[in-house]
Amino acid sequence: MISYFGIHMAHAIKIADREIGLNHPPYMIAEMSGNHNGDIGRAFALIEAAKDAGADAVKLQTYTADTITIDHDGPDFQIKGGLWDGRSLYELYEEAHTPWDWHERLFKKASDVGISIFSSPFDPTAVDFLTALDAPAFKIASFELVDIPLIEKVASVGKPMILSTGLADLGEIQEAIAAVRRAGLEDFVVLHCISSYPAPADNSNLLTMPHLGETFNVLTGLSDHTHGTSVSVAATALGATVIEKHMTLDRNDGGPDAAFSLEPNEFRQLVVDCNTAWKALGGIHYELKDAEQGSLIFRRSLYIVKDIAAGEVITSEHVRSIRPGYGLPPKELESVLGQRARDSIARGTPLAWHHLV
């Protein structure tokens, strides 16, 4: 396959029954994260809303406060600045985590609704847990991209993987991709990501995304933490095959990720706009398009703009390039000037070769 940037790209992959690749609309992931606000009913409603909005998948995060950090009041474990300033890591993750005893019910709910569901594991026990649930894919979060043993364990399961690259430099991305490939897995997508919450649009540097694709011969996409939908649409125009965006039922309800999440109607618009951007890409095509056929008559062409008698020499007073397009092409003007009219020609006649001697 050749990408929009003229580079050889990775083969398409499949999550559940959905093909992912440049020849398919972007795979749209609604990230639930902690936006369930500790209420499984809200989690169920988010799954339904994601399906209604046109998402291809809902993504969870599978950890507990104890599997991702420790309960410690030292300065290393306190968040300084940003959306969660002043909170401890343990406190934040205790609030935001999705209880493990919900997972089976959430997977069943997604199956009933007809939407794929998978998760980001944050330690080996989460990998085993999700494998037992027959998750159709795995996501490596940006902060875990440097955890090579975790990546190797996930890759060894053999399911498709999605890897986010926020915070990582080129060398770290290379190490993570190498770890996946060492395990024999080629069905993966690498997401460009800015790990800021929210992320400023002018920090997005979306041109990094096709460079990742060219450098590592992988499918690429975007994990988007900016406000709104514009950055995701722009990424689609640059060849993103996966778009991941946080979703909440209502930002006014609060929650750890609500401030940079889309509400259902906004996510629905995201899906529409990204699909439109993908369709607009098309291919390299210079032939007349079907939609253009009716506009051909409005091109310029050569018309007689002053009555001319039979045998008279045609000058620039007699012929001009004007609309519509029924006459000779304007490029023939120099060839026409100085020739004689075969018969009289009335003003408003599209000029043709048979009019000339």
Side-chain angles (χ1 to χ4, degrees):
M1 178 188 295
I2 304 296
S3 86
Y4 308 114
F5 298 90
I7 57 176
H8 291 277
M9 293 296 290
H11 65 286
I13 72 169
K14 184 182 285 189
I15 294 179
D17 293 326
R18 173 66 153 81
E19 293 276 352
I20 301 171
L22 288 171
N23 292 330
H24 304 277
Y27 187 78
M28 308 298 296
I29 301 173
E31 166 67 80
M32 182 186 299
S33 186
N35 286 329
H36 50 68
N37 293 355
D39 178 358
I40 194 171
R42 185 181 176 91
F44 288 155
L46 274 165
I47 292 171
E48 293 174 349
K51 173 65 176 179
D52 290 344
D56 294 291
V58 172
K59 196 186 76 64
L60 311 175
Q61 296 184 5
T62 304
Y63 64 86
T64 68
D66 291 302
T67 65
I68 199 170
T69 190
I70 59 173
D71 189 4
H72 196 287
D73 58 6
D76 287 356
F77 297 87
Q78 307 303 308
I79 302 172
K80 303 172 183 67
L83 194 61
W84 306 301
D85 182 48
R87 305 187 70 179
S88 73
L89 291 176
Y90 193 89
E91 176 192 9
L92 176 64
Y93 297 137
E94 182 67 25
E95 175 192 342
H97 84 286
T98 300
W100 289 30
D101 61 4
W102 288 9
H103 279 58
E104 186 172 357
R105 285 177 284 172
L106 296 178
F107 272 58
K108 183 179 185 306
K109 177 68 174 181
S111 177
D112 291 344
V113 167
I115 190 171
S116 291
I117 189 168
F118 55 92
S119 188
S120 294
F122 289 80
D123 82 311
T125 66
V127 179
D128 294 337
F129 177 63
L130 292 167
T131 301
L133 289 172
D134 198 24
F138 289 87
K139 164 78 188 296
I140 299 296
S142 288
F143 292 78
E144 276 58 49
L145 195 73
V146 293
D147 191 340
I148 299 302
L150 177 64
I151 291 173
E152 290 174 335
K153 181 173 177 63
V154 171
S156 71
V157 176
K159 295 291 183 71
M161 289 179 67
I162 298 171
L163 300 93
S164 273
T165 61
L167 306 173
D169 61 29
L170 193 61
E172 290 167 336
I173 295 169
Q174 183 177 21
E175 290 174 353
I177 291 174
V180 174
R181 286 179 165 151
R182 276 198 305 274
L185 187 69
E186 286 294 337
D187 289 350
F188 64 97
V189 181
V190 178
L191 304 188
H192 178 55
C193 178
I194 305 301
S195 292
S196 177
Y197 308 92
D202 60 3
N203 279 193
S204 294
N205 292 308
L206 291 181
L207 289 176
T208 306
M209 196 181 62
H211 181 262
L212 280 172
E214 181 177 13
T215 301
F216 299 110
N217 192 31
V218 293
L219 295 174
T220 59
L222 179 70
S223 179
D224 183 12
H225 301 126
T226 64
H227 288 304
T229 62
S230 299
V231 173
S232 288
V233 174
T236 303
L238 288 172
T241 60
V242 173
I243 298 292
E244 180 187 64
K245 193 87 171 173
H246 286 245
M247 182 177 174
T248 186
L249 294 177
D250 188 335
R251 279 188 295 274
N252 292 325
D253 292 343
D257 300 332
F260 55 91
S261 298
L262 296 181
E263 295 179 351
N265 63 319
E266 296 167 330
F267 201 98
R268 184 176 298 109
Q269 192 62 48
L270 172 74
V271 172
V272 169
D273 290 346
C274 287
N275 275 272
T276 300
W278 175 78
K279 290 176 185 176
L281 286 171
I284 299 170
H285 195 285
Y286 292 104
E287 291 76 28
L288 188 70
K289 317 305 183 292
D290 290 344
E292 295 178 311
Q293 291 286 349
S295 298
L296 270 176
I297 60 170
F298 301 114
R299 296 177 102 182
R300 299 179 79 90
S301 67
L302 299 184
Y303 265 75
I304 297 299
V305 294
K306 179 182 179 182
D307 291 345
I308 187 168
E312 190 174 355
V313 174
I314 297 174
T315 71
S316 58
E317 292 184 0
H318 300 112
V319 63
R320 282 175 49 201
S321 168
I322 62 171
R323 294 183 181 186
Y326 296 108
L328 290 172
K331 67 181 180 180
E332 302 295 349
L333 180 61
E334 290 301 317
S335 300
V336 166
L337 295 177
Q339 297 202 44
R340 294 183 181 275
R342 183 183 302 276
D343 301 297
S344 61
I345 314 173
R347 181 176 183 269
T349 300
L351 186 61
W353 290 119
H354 68 77
H355 291 126
L356 309 176
V357 174

